[in-house]
Amino acid sequence: MLCEDGRMALIPLCCSLSMAAHLSPSSPFLRHDNSAPSAAVFAFRASWSADDWLLAGAGSPFGEREIDAALFPSIKSVGNDTTAAVNGAFLRSFKKVLDTSRLQAEVHAAVAGKKQIVFTGHSSGGSIAVLAAIWFLEQRLNFEGRGGQVDPFCVTFGSPLVGDGVFVHALQRENWARCFLHFVTAADIIPRCLLAPLSSSKDELEAILRFLCPKPLLFSPNTVMSAPVTFYRNVLGHALSVSNHQACLLMGCTNPLLEVLTGFVKLTPYRPLGAYVLCSRDGRLLCLRNSNSILHMLFYLFQDVPGADVEEVAHGSLEAHRLYEAMTGDHLNAQNIVSVDSSDSIPLSFTNGFDDKAQPVKTLWKDLDLSLEARLCLRAAAEWEKQRLRNQAKIDDNYSKIKEALNFLGDYRATCEVRGLGYYDTFKLQKDVEDFNANVKRLELAGLWDEIVEMLSRYELPDGFEGRQEWVKLGTQYRWLVEPLDIANYYRHSKNEDTGPYMVKGRPRRYRYTQRWLEHAERSPAGSCTESCFWASVEELCIDTGDGKPFLEVRSRVVELEREVLRWVTKGSLGRDVFVSESTFARWWVTLPRQHRAESCIARFVNGEDMLETMEASI
Amino acid sequence: MHVSKLSSLSLSLSLSLSATEASDVEFLGLSLVAKRFETSHVLGALLASSPLLAQAWSHCTHANASNSSFVVEHHDDTVYVAFSGTQTSALSSSVAGGELFGPVPISTGGGQELFAPLVGGKGDDAQPVLVQAAALRLFLSLYNSSEFRLLVSETGSRSVVLTGHSMGGCVASLVALHFLCSSAGSGSPSPASLLCITFGSPLLGDDALSRAVLRERWSGRFCHVVAQHDIMPRLLLCPLNSMPPRLVTSVTDLMQSWHFAVRYPGFSRPSFRLSDDQRTELHRFVGVHVAAAEQQQKSPYRPFGNHALCSAEGAACIDDPLIVVKLLHLTFMADPGSSSIEEQHISYGDLVAEISQNVLSKKRIRIEEEPTRSSGYSAGVSMALEASGIRIQDMGAAEARECLETRMWRRPNMNCASLAIKLAKVTPCRAQIEWYKTLCDDDMGYYDCFKHRKAAKRDAKVNMNRIKLGHFWDGLLAKLQDNELPHDFHRRSKWVNAAQFYKLLVEPLDIAEYYRCKLHETRGHYLPHGRARRYEVFDRWWNEGEEEVREAATWKKKKRSKFAGLTQDSCFWAKVEEARECVKRARAEKNPAKLAKLWDSVSGFEGFANRLIERKEVSVDVMAPRSSYSLWVEEVKELKLKRASSVLVGVER
C-alpha cells in the first residue's frame, strides 16, 4: 500500500510543507502543486493554543463530541445507529477552515485539474487534515468529472488522535481507512496526549504547546520549559491503562472486575485510524494497520526504559515532536518499513529451537526489542481480527439457507394471492397448515438474522460487513417479505395491547438494522425506507378509526400513508395484493368517508381499475 | 420492548439439527486452537496503571491516623470513603481466643434486614452466611451511629470507592455488602457505582458468603489487595485455636507494632523485629495451614470477590475463590527471603508505588529463558505467576501453573453463541408444549390435563419436554453463576424474553407435577417450598427489564381486548391450589375464628383472580370448563350458598 501510486515519493514533500504551513500567517493551509507525480497538496497548520486542542465545557475529560451528521453522513455505525465522536476542538477548527477559507474552491479546482488530492499536516494540523480528507471522501460524489473517483491521500506527522472507535469502524466500512497514513516517533508525546484526560491539566498542555510553538510565531521570548514530568507520567499511565483495557477485552477476560474498573478509570474514547508508520527509538520503521495493535504500540514504544532519567525522558518526549523531517528524509523507502501486525507469527520466545524458516522473522522481532506483554497484546489484536473473519465466514454460510427460506416464503406468498385474501391476512388468520409452516420459517429466519444483529451490536463482525452489497440486498428482500408476517403475528396476538404499537416497541432489531443498511447504501435519509411497516400503520389506523376517532383527526396520517403507498406500489416494493377486497387494508379503506376516497391518490388501485392494467402488463 | 421480546423470543427455532451439531463441533474446534489468553495480570496492570490504588491507599493512611471511624474525600467525580483499621485496640489482645476472629451469622445483631439478600437462605442454599464477629461488631456500631447517615447521604447515587487497611478493609467490605444488598432491594439511596478496595485485610466470611457473592454477580465489586508475604490476609485460613502460645505472643506483638505504626505515622519508632526463630516458626505455621486449607477445610473462612495478588513485578487479579486459596499459599511460600513479615502488612504504599512504576517501564522478562512455552496462553500464565510473585525457578511454580491452566476455561461470547444454538435445539420442545396447550384449551386446560395425565403417552411426552427445558435453563444458570457468560447476559433481551416465555409456559406444568405427586402434603405448598430457583431468577431479569421499559415508556397501557396467550402470572395455578385447599378446609372447619381467616384468604384470591381476568391477563385455559380454577369457582359458589343458608338458619333460630 505504501508504494502504491507513488505516494511514498510525496511524503518528504508533505512533511516539509506541513512544517512550512506553521509559518504561514495568512491562510490556515498551504497549497502546493506537484508535477511528478501530479498532485495537489494541502498542508494545514497546527494551533498552539490549548483551546484548539480541547473543547472547553465539552462535558468529557477527553473533549470528544458527536460528529456533525450533516457534514459527515457516513461516519456512524449503520445498524447500531451510533454516531461517531470526534475531538470537538479539531472539528470546530476544521469547520472554521471550511467556512472561512478558500479550501473548498481550491479543492474543486484541483479536482477539475485531475490531480491527486493530498491532505497533510504536522501536529494538530494533521488532525485537521484527517477531517478534511473525510470531508472530501464524503463530498466527492458531488464533484464534477471523474476526478472525484480517485482516492485522496492523507498523511500526518506526529498528530493527535481524532475520533473514537465508531469513527474508525465507519471509515473501515467505507474502505476509506486506506487513504490515511500517520507518522509517529517512539518518543513523541503529542500523538499520545489525548490518551489522557487533559481537561484537568489544560494549563500544562498550554505551556507545552507554547514551548513547541515554532519560534518566529512567538512575540514574547521563548519560555524555558520546566521538564513536564507530571504531564509525561499522566500520558504514559493512561496510555497503559487504555492498552491494558483493550487487551483485556480482546483476550476475552471474564472477570467482572473489568467492567467495574471501567466505571472508575478514565479511558480515552479515541482510537487510531488508518495505517501508522512508527519509528522505534533505534530508527526502525514499523507499519501497522490494525487499530488495536496501533493503540498498544503507542504505549509500548513510548514506555519507560529502566534506569533512564525521568526528567530527561520527559523533556525528550517534547523535543521528539519537532523531528519529523529527519524521520521522513531521503532514506525513507518502502523497503525499510516492516509491516508487523499482519503477521501471524509474532514469536513469544526467541530461544525456542532453531527452526530455519522462522528464524528471519524471529531475528526481526528480537531486534524490535518489544516486551513479552507487547507481543501478547499484538497477538491478541491479530487474533481478534481473525475471529471476526471467522464469524463472518459462519454468517456467510447462512446466506444460502436464508435465501432458501425466503424462496419458500415467496412461494407461500404466491399461494396466498391465489387464495384471494392477500399475503398479510392469510397469514394473520393462520387457518391452514401452510400458514403454520410459514410461521415456522419466519421463526427460523428470525434466529438467523438475530444472530447477525447480535454480532453487529458487539462489533464482532469485520467492519466492512454492513457495506457488503449482497447482504444489504438480502436484508432488504428479507425485510419486505417477512416483516409483514411479524406484524401480522403481532396484531394477531394483540401484542399491541401489552406493549403498544408495533412501530414504537414491537419492531425487532433485525428489521431496524436491515432498513438502515438500505438507507445507508442508497444515501437516503433515515426513516425513508419503511415500506415493510405498511401493515403496522394500517393496523394502528384501523384501531384509531375503530375507536371512533373522528376522521379529521387521523386525516393527515391517512393522506400521508396513501401517498407513501402510491410511491411504494409504483416502485414495486409493496405488493398489489394489499388491495384485495377482503384484506384488512381494503376493508378499512372503504370505511373512510366517501369524499376522501373519491379524491384519494390510490383510489384506482383499491377499486381494482388498475388490476387489469397490471395483468395486461404481466402478460 | 417486551414485544420485540415476545416476537423475538421464539426466534431461534432455526437451524436444522445436523447443521447445529456441525457448528457446535466447529465452535469447539475453534476455541481449542486459537485465542486463549491469560488476563489476570493484564487486569492487574490496568489496576496498577490507574490512580485508584494509590488514591485509595493515601485515604487509608489518613483514616488510620485519624480519630474517626472513616474519612470521606472527593476526588474528581468519585467519592473515596476510607475506614479506619485502628478502631479496635482490643483486637490484637485476643487473637488466640478465636473469639474476635470467630465467625457469627451475618444476621447477628440486626443484620437480618441490613443484608437481606444474603441472609435469605432459600431452597438449597439454606446455610447461613457467617462473618467475622469483630468486623460485624465494628460495622454495626458504625451503622448505628449518626455518622452513618452522613455517609449514606454523601455516597447516594455517586461513584464510590470504599476502602480500608487491615480490619478497616473488613468494615469497608461489610459496608459495601450492605450497600449492594440495599440497592438490590429498593429503599434507601445507594451508590450509583461501587468498588471496594481492601489492603491486607483478614478474610471476612465463609463459603456461603463467597458463593452468595458469586451468585449475585458482585465479585467484580471487591478487590482485595494482598502483598506476597503479608500474613494478615492468610491468618484466618489457619486454625487459630491450635496456635502454639509462643506464636500467639509473636502475632500479638506484631499486631501491636502495626497498630502503633499506622495510628501514629509521624512518630518515629524503633522498627519491631521478630527473632529469626520466631519468624521461621510463624512462616512455617502459616505456610503449612494455608496449604492445608485447600484440601481440608479447618478454617471456616473463604475468600470472596477478587484478590489482587501483588509482588513488586505487578498484580494478578483472580476471582475464583479456590484458586485464590491455592495462590495465597504458593505466593507466600515463593521467594521467602525477599521481604520481611514485619513490614509487609504496613507497606502497601511502597508496594503500590513500586508496581505502578514497574508496569510502566520495560522489563527484561525472565520467561524468555524458558524455551518450551511457545503458546500465547502459557506465556500469559507465566507472566501472571510472575506478577503474583512466583517465578519459574520457585518451587511452587509448576503447581501454580497447573492450577491456573486447568482452571475452568471461560469463554463468555463463545459460550453465549453455543448456548444460542442449544436454545434453538430445545425450542421444538417448547413448541410441542405450546401445541399441547392449544389442544387442551377448550376442555380442561393444559394445567389440569397434565396434572391428571389422562392421555398417558401424550402427557409423558410433554413431561419429557418439560424436563429437557428445565435442564437447559438450569445449565444456563450454572454457567452464569460461574461467570462463563457475558456480564450483561441477563440484560440481553433475547435471553430475558426467552426465559420469560419459558417461565409462563412451563411453570404451570411444574406446579401441576408438584401437586400431582402430592409433594405439598410432605413439603408444604409450591410457592414457599417447591419453586425452582430458576423461576425466581427469571422473575428478577424480567422485572429489571420492565423497569427500564417503564422509565422509557411514553406509551400508556390500554386494557387488553382479548385474553393473553399465556397467563401473565406463572404462579397462578399454585395460588389456585392453595385457594382450593382453603375451600376444602373451610368446608370442614368449625372454629369461627379459623373459618373467618380461611374466608379471608379465599376472598383474597378471588379478588386477585377476578382482577387478572378482568384485565384479561390470563390465558383462555384458565376459564376452560373443567379447569381447576373453574371447579374452584363452583366450589366457592356452593360454599357461599351453604354459608348464607346456614346464616339464614341461624337467624331463623
Side-chain angles (χ1 to χ4, degrees):
Chain A
M1 170 230 129
L2 284 175
C3 328
E4 185 186 308
D5 50 53
R7 284 172 176 185
M8 281 307 275
L10 288 170
I11 288 169
L13 168 71
C14 287
C15 191
S16 51
L17 267 180
S18 298
M19 296 300 175
H22 294 323
L23 305 175
S24 120
S26 55
S27 166
F29 67 92
L30 281 184
R31 177 179 168 184
H32 174 89
D33 285 6
N34 196 41
S35 49
S38 159
V41 182
F42 294 85
F44 296 85
R45 72 167 183 226
S47 162
W48 307 104
S49 147
D51 278 336
D52 290 333
W53 286 61
L54 207 64
L55 206 56
S60 150
F62 297 93
E64 80 275 15
R65 72 169 25 175
E66 273 193 7
I67 199 167
D68 260 35
L71 202 53
F72 301 100
S74 304
I75 309 304
K76 63 183 176 194
S77 170
V78 177
N80 297 323
D81 201 22
T82 328
T83 314
V86 290
N87 180 312
F90 296 158
L91 182 63
R92 186 184 57 189
S93 304
F94 168 68
K95 277 158 74 177
K96 198 171 153 212
V97 173
L98 196 63
D99 293 341
T100 59
S101 76
R102 292 190 32 80
L103 181 67
Q104 301 207 39
E106 296 214 15
V107 169
H108 278 264
V111 170
K114 297 207 181 346
K115 288 189 186 311
Q116 155 91 59
I117 306 293
V118 179
F119 298 98
T120 186
H122 169 244
S123 198
S124 71
S127 306
I128 308 295
V130 167
L131 290 171
I134 300 171
W135 163 80
F136 177 79
L137 285 159
E138 292 272 15
Q139 289 289 313
R140 65 174 168 173
L141 296 176
N142 309 334
F143 285 122
E144 284 169 35
R146 300 183 61 218
Q149 303 298 313
V150 180
D151 277 339
F153 176 44
C154 174
V155 56
T156 76
F157 305 91
S159 296
L161 302 178
V162 180
D164 69 349
V166 176
F167 176 83
V168 175
H169 162 81
L171 286 155
Q172 299 264 28
R173 182 193 60 232
E174 301 297 327
N175 203 11
W176 290 346
R178 63 202 159 97
C179 306
F180 296 86
L181 181 62
H182 309 274
F183 284 84
V184 168
T185 56
D188 187 359
I189 198 168
I190 294 300
R192 293 153 172 108
C193 66
L194 286 177
L195 297 176
L198 289 186
S199 63
S200 49
S201 37
K202 217 169 164 181
D203 292 343
E204 276 175 287
L205 178 65
E206 187 77 59
I208 282 166
L209 291 175
R210 217 179 145 68
F211 172 77
L212 287 174
C213 178
K215 307 237 160 27
L217 293 188
L218 276 181
F219 300 111
S220 58
N222 208 346
T223 44
V224 179
M225 183 76 197
S226 65
V229 174
T230 37
F231 189 79
Y232 167 76
R233 284 261 158 235
N234 188 13
V235 171
L236 189 64
H238 281 93
L240 176 60
S241 290
V242 71
S243 160
N244 275 329
H245 180 255
Q246 198 64 18
C248 279
L249 291 179
L250 298 187
M251 289 176 173
C253 173
T254 59
N255 191 328
L257 180 62
L258 177 63
E259 195 203 355
V260 175
L261 283 182
T262 310
F264 286 90
V265 182
K266 293 197 179 75
L267 296 166
T268 188
Y270 299 117
R271 291 292 179 272
L273 155 76
Y276 271 68
V277 172
L278 301 171
C279 178
S280 73
R281 288 184 199 265
D282 55 1
R284 248 167 248 282
L285 298 179
L286 317 175
C287 175
L288 294 98
R289 281 185 201 86
N290 180 329
S291 180
N292 289 314
S293 304
I294 299 165
L295 190 67
H296 293 311
M297 291 299 277
L298 283 181
F299 169 75
Y300 283 105
L301 285 180
F302 191 53
Q303 78 181 149
D304 277 357
V305 181
D309 174 45
V310 182
E311 294 210 357
E312 218 169 88
V313 172
H315 193 77
S317 75
L318 293 185
E319 289 294 345
H321 189 54
R322 295 178 171 144
L323 303 178
Y324 282 89
E325 271 174 302
M327 171 190 179
T328 56
D330 295 336
H331 68 278
L332 183 74
N333 157 354
Q335 274 86 53
N336 292 343
I337 302 179
V338 191
S339 175
V340 290
D341 60 350
S342 54
S343 78
D344 299 337
S345 49
I346 301 162
L348 298 173
S349 158
F350 300 121
T351 51
N352 177 8
F354 285 94
D355 182 354
D356 287 339
K357 257 195 250 159
Q359 213 48 50
V361 186
K362 281 191 179 166
T363 318
L364 163 75
W365 280 93
K366 193 166 186 174
D367 290 348
L368 286 179
D369 194 31
L370 286 173
S371 66
L372 186 58
E373 280 102 331
R375 279 174 281 144
L376 274 173
C377 286
L378 291 181
R379 260 205 183 182
E383 197 51 55
W384 173 249
E385 252 354 278
K386 271 197 235 156
Q387 183 61 46
R388 298 218 285 183
L389 285 172
R390 280 190 294 247
N391 290 345
Q392 176 165 273
K394 185 170 164 283
I395 296 292
D396 281 345
D397 279 349
N398 290 343
Y399 187 89
S400 55
K401 226 184 278 173
I402 293 176
K403 199 86 195 173
E404 226 168 80
L406 287 180
N407 287 340
F408 177 90
L409 285 177
D411 292 348
Y412 170 71
R413 182 186 175 129
T415 63
C416 289
E417 278 164 32
V418 173
R419 281 153 77 191
L421 197 53
Y423 181 50
Y424 178 80
D425 286 279
T426 313
F427 184 83
K428 195 176 167 192
L429 268 184
Q430 285 283 317
K431 233 166 67 188
D432 296 321
V433 70
E434 284 90 5
D435 307 324
F436 176 76
N437 289 339
N439 196 23
V440 171
K441 273 284 176 276
R442 174 182 73 88
L443 291 172
E444 280 184 23
L445 282 166
L448 294 172
W449 283 94
D450 281 354
E451 194 183 4
I452 298 175
V453 166
E454 195 74 29
M455 285 190 177
L456 283 175
S457 67
R458 293 198 299 264
Y459 297 91
E460 284 173 2
L461 288 174
D463 293 317
F465 185 83
E466 290 181 304
R468 290 171 62 193
Q469 280 310 313
E470 69 267 33
W471 278 100
V472 175
K473 233 168 110 186
L474 190 69
T476 307
Q477 201 189 342
Y478 167 65
R479 189 165 57 88
W480 286 356
L481 194 58
V482 188
E483 188 165 13
L485 303 187
D486 270 77
I487 299 172
N489 190 58
Y490 191 81
Y491 285 96
R492 172 181 146 78
H493 291 294
S494 306
K495 286 178 185 167
N496 55 317
E497 296 179 359
D498 291 347
T499 21
Y502 175 82
M503 286 309 287
V504 181
K505 291 278 179 197
R507 192 172 190 214
R509 285 200 296 168
R510 50 184 183 273
Y511 300 122
R512 298 180 192 270
Y513 274 60
T514 46
Q515 181 189 329
R516 289 189 206 114
W517 292 356
L518 182 68
E519 284 164 0
H520 178 71
E522 296 190 339
R523 298 194 143 237
S524 42
S528 60
C529 296
T530 54
E531 57 277 56
S532 56
C533 305
F534 163 74
W535 284 107
S537 319
V538 173
E539 290 281 2
E540 286 304 320
L541 281 169
C542 281
I543 291 168
D544 285 349
T545 49
D547 276 357
K549 257 191 200 168
F551 179 69
L552 275 179
E553 255 181 57
V554 291
R555 185 168 176 277
S556 59
R557 276 162 66 202
V558 173
V559 171
E560 170 75 9
L561 180 69
E562 286 174 344
R563 202 174 323 128
E564 292 280 48
V565 166
L566 181 64
R567 189 165 68 86
W568 294 332
V569 170
T570 329
K571 208 172 87 180
S573 52
L574 188 68
R576 300 202 175 204
D577 62 318
V578 302
F579 302 119
V580 176
S581 63
E582 281 306 300
S583 81
T584 307
F585 175 66
R587 275 184 292 139
W588 164 76
W589 194 76
V590 296
T591 64
L592 298 177
R594 181 179 297 273
Q595 197 198 343
H596 169 80
R597 279 185 287 146
E599 289 167 0
S600 166
C601 60
I602 55 166
R604 60 197 175 100
F605 293 110
V606 190
N607 300 333
E609 289 157 23
D610 199 57
M611 278 308 196
L612 282 174
E613 290 169 34
T614 8
M615 279 169 77
E616 278 159 18
S618 68
I619 292 162
Chain B
M1 172 197 145
H2 55 298
V3 175
S4 69
K5 288 179 174 181
L6 288 184
S7 52
S8 70
L9 17 128
S10 356
L11 328 176
S12 346
L13 229 155
S14 60
L15 302 163
S16 71
L17 273 186
S18 58
T20 312
E21 272 150 20
S23 39
D24 228 343
V25 171
E26 184 193 284
F27 264 109
L28 277 179
L30 279 185
S31 42
L32 281 175
V33 214
K35 211 191 166 195
R36 190 181 172 193
F37 292 96
E38 175 62 43
T39 54
S40 54
H41 61 289
V42 187
L43 196 54
L46 171 60
L47 189 67
S49 66
S50 77
L52 276 172
L53 290 184
Q55 290 281 357
W57 175 256
S58 83
H59 297 307
C60 280
T61 54
H62 292 166
N64 277 339
S66 79
N67 286 321
S68 60
S69 49
F70 62 88
V71 293
V72 179
E73 267 163 272
H74 293 252
H75 197 269
D76 285 348
D77 37 14
T78 306
V79 184
Y80 282 83
V81 185
F83 295 88
S84 159
T86 54
Q87 291 295 300
T88 45
S89 48
L91 191 65
S92 44
S93 58
S94 49
V95 176
E99 182 191 310
L100 272 168
F101 281 137
V104 293
I106 198 169
S107 50
T108 314
Q112 192 87 45
E113 294 105 57
L114 305 184
F115 301 100
L118 292 182
V119 184
K122 276 177 248 154
D124 307 333
D125 304 332
Q127 192 188 341
V129 168
L130 301 179
V131 292
Q132 236 188 76
L136 187 63
R137 200 178 305 157
L138 280 172
F139 167 75
L140 287 173
S141 74
L142 171 66
Y143 181 80
N144 293 319
S145 70
S146 56
E147 289 167 305
F148 197 77
R149 310 277 154 279
L150 181 89
L151 181 64
V152 170
S153 66
E154 287 258 3
T155 56
S157 37
R158 319 179 82 124
S159 292
V160 180
V161 175
L162 300 170
T163 183
H165 171 233
S166 200
M167 277 307 278
C170 294
V171 179
S173 299
L174 281 169
V175 173
L177 282 171
H178 167 63
F179 280 155
L180 289 168
C181 286
S182 63
S183 69
S186 54
S188 56
S190 48
S193 173
L194 181 154
L195 173 61
C196 175
I197 302 176
T198 73
F199 295 92
S201 294
L203 295 179
L204 174 67
D206 66 345
D207 200 29
L209 178 68
S210 176
R211 272 185 287 121
V213 167
L214 273 180
R215 187 186 62 220
E216 301 291 334
R217 304 177 67 69
W218 289 340
S219 36
R221 303 272 164 201
F222 295 90
C223 181
H224 305 291
V225 181
V226 172
Q228 193 178 358
H229 296 108
D230 185 356
I231 61 164
M232 204 57 174
R234 296 170 169 89
L235 203 56
L236 292 193
L237 289 171
C238 312
L240 295 183
N241 299 329
S242 60
M243 195 185 251
R246 251 161 42 91
L247 272 186
V248 173
T249 330
S250 313
V251 173
T252 313
D253 290 350
L254 262 181
M255 287 190 175
Q256 266 159 5
S257 85
W258 290 337
H259 183 95
F260 186 80
V262 297
R263 181 70 182 82
Y264 309 104
F267 212 81
S268 70
R269 65 198 162 90
S271 74
F272 175 82
R273 307 288 304 170
L274 293 172
S275 73
D276 283 353
D277 283 353
Q278 280 175 317
R279 194 177 312 119
T280 320
E281 198 182 357
L282 184 57
H283 194 272
R284 193 185 306 129
F285 179 81
V286 173
V288 166
H289 287 291
V290 175
E294 352 162 345
Q295 279 107 29
Q296 23 167 318
Q297 229 169 312
K298 274 192 190 160
S299 150
Y301 291 104
R302 288 278 123 171
F304 69 94
N306 263 278
H307 278 66
L309 299 164
C310 300
S311 74
E313 294 299 324
C317 294
I318 294 172
D319 61 341
D320 181 324
L322 288 177
I323 295 176
V324 170
V325 171
K326 189 139 196 162
L327 288 184
L328 278 176
H329 167 238
L330 292 172
T331 50
F332 187 70
M333 299 311 284
D335 197 16
S338 69
S339 61
S340 77
I341 286 181
E342 292 93 333
E343 290 298 321
Q344 281 243 309
H345 183 61
I346 48 174
S347 321
Y348 279 91
D350 299 340
L351 181 65
V352 165
E354 195 173 5
I355 296 174
S356 63
Q357 175 57 49
N358 272 339
V359 293
L360 286 177
S361 60
K362 190 182 273 185
K363 284 178 267 178
R364 302 263 31 131
I365 299 295
R366 293 180 201 105
I367 295 149
E368 286 168 16
E369 297 153 15
E370 195 188 17
T372 50
R373 315 263 175 220
S374 63
S375 90
Y377 185 66
S378 315
V381 169
S382 303
M383 291 173 58
L385 292 179
E386 179 152 305
S388 71
I390 303 174
R391 286 165 313 169
I392 289 157
Q393 66 271 29
D394 284 328
M395 57 179 187
E399 201 183 336
R401 164 178 294 280
E402 194 188 323
C403 153
L404 278 183
E405 282 185 351
T406 54
R407 156 170 55 166
M408 182 131 47
W409 187 10
R410 296 170 179 165
R411 313 184 29 76
N413 284 338
M414 234 23 150
N415 285 334
C416 194
S418 69
L419 264 185
I421 292 166
K422 280 193 197 133
L423 176 67
K425 264 192 204 172
V426 296
T427 304
C429 298
R430 210 191 63 200
Q432 286 185 8
I433 296 180
E434 273 177 84
W435 190 243
Y436 174 76
K437 176 178 179 299
T438 329
L439 279 181
C440 303
D441 269 354
D442 300 328
D443 180 29
M444 60 193 326
Y446 79 129
Y447 174 77
D448 287 279
C449 272
F450 188 71
K451 193 175 156 193
H452 296 302
R453 299 280 160 89
K454 284 279 170 54
K457 205 171 157 195
R458 195 182 63 191
D459 294 338
K461 204 168 167 195
V462 167
N463 195 31
M464 206 55 226
N465 287 330
R466 178 184 71 90
I467 291 168
K468 274 190 200 159
L469 287 168
H471 273 306
F472 169 77
W473 287 102
D474 281 345
L476 182 144
L477 286 188
K479 280 210 169 72
L480 190 66
Q481 185 169 331
D482 292 338
N483 281 332
E484 288 177 51
L485 295 175
H487 57 79
D488 62 343
F489 184 82
H490 60 294
R491 271 176 262 154
R492 292 190 182 173
S493 54
K494 171 177 175 139
W495 292 100
V496 175
N497 296 333
Q500 170 74 358
F501 197 88
Y502 159 73
K503 186 186 78 183
L504 293 183
L505 183 69
V506 183
E507 191 170 7
L509 297 183
D510 281 14
I511 299 171
E513 184 68 11
Y514 191 82
Y515 285 98
R516 187 183 83 86
C517 301
K518 303 214 182 306
L519 290 175
H520 62 290
E521 287 170 9
T522 48
R523 286 195 212 162
H525 276 292
Y526 175 83
L527 270 179
H529 302 290
R531 198 171 189 218
R533 194 174 86 85
R534 55 176 178 271
Y535 296 124
E536 288 167 14
V537 174
F538 298 157
D539 272 347
R540 220 183 309 154
W541 290 4
W542 181 254
N543 293 335
E544 277 167 19
E546 283 284 270
E547 268 163 40
E548 281 163 32
V549 171
R550 244 178 268 136
E551 277 166 25
T554 49
W555 176 84
K556 277 206 181 137
K557 209 163 187 166
K558 275 194 264 177
K559 225 178 95 179
R560 285 166 198 262
S561 66
K562 57 185 175 191
F563 286 111
L566 291 169
T567 304
Q568 296 297 299
D569 180 353
S570 61
C571 294
F572 180 78
W573 291 107
K575 292 171 186 164
V576 171
E577 291 287 353
E578 287 180 27
R580 283 193 81 179
E581 198 190 72
C582 285
V583 171
K584 207 163 131 195
R585 277 166 50 201
R587 276 199 202 116
E589 189 60 65
K590 295 284 186 290
N591 182 338
K594 282 187 186 165
L595 189 62
K597 218 172 169 189
L598 286 173
W599 271 108
D600 272 356
S601 48
V602 167
S603 52
F605 175 72
E606 201 173 13
F608 164 78
N610 287 341
R611 269 198 307 283
L612 273 190
I613 292 171
E614 194 204 331
R615 289 205 304 264
K616 297 200 163 58
E617 284 181 357
V618 294
S619 149
V620 283
D621 64 293
V622 168
M623 265 85 57
R626 296 196 295 136
S627 78
S628 287
Y629 176 72
S630 302
L631 294 179
W632 177 82
V633 171
E634 287 304 315
E635 286 164 5
V636 172
K637 223 185 262 171
E638 207 175 283
L639 200 60
K640 275 184 180 162
L641 275 177
K642 223 160 134 192
R643 191 187 183 203
S645 64
S646 75
V647 170
L648 268 180
V649 172
V651 169
E652 276 172 16
R653 276 185 194 161

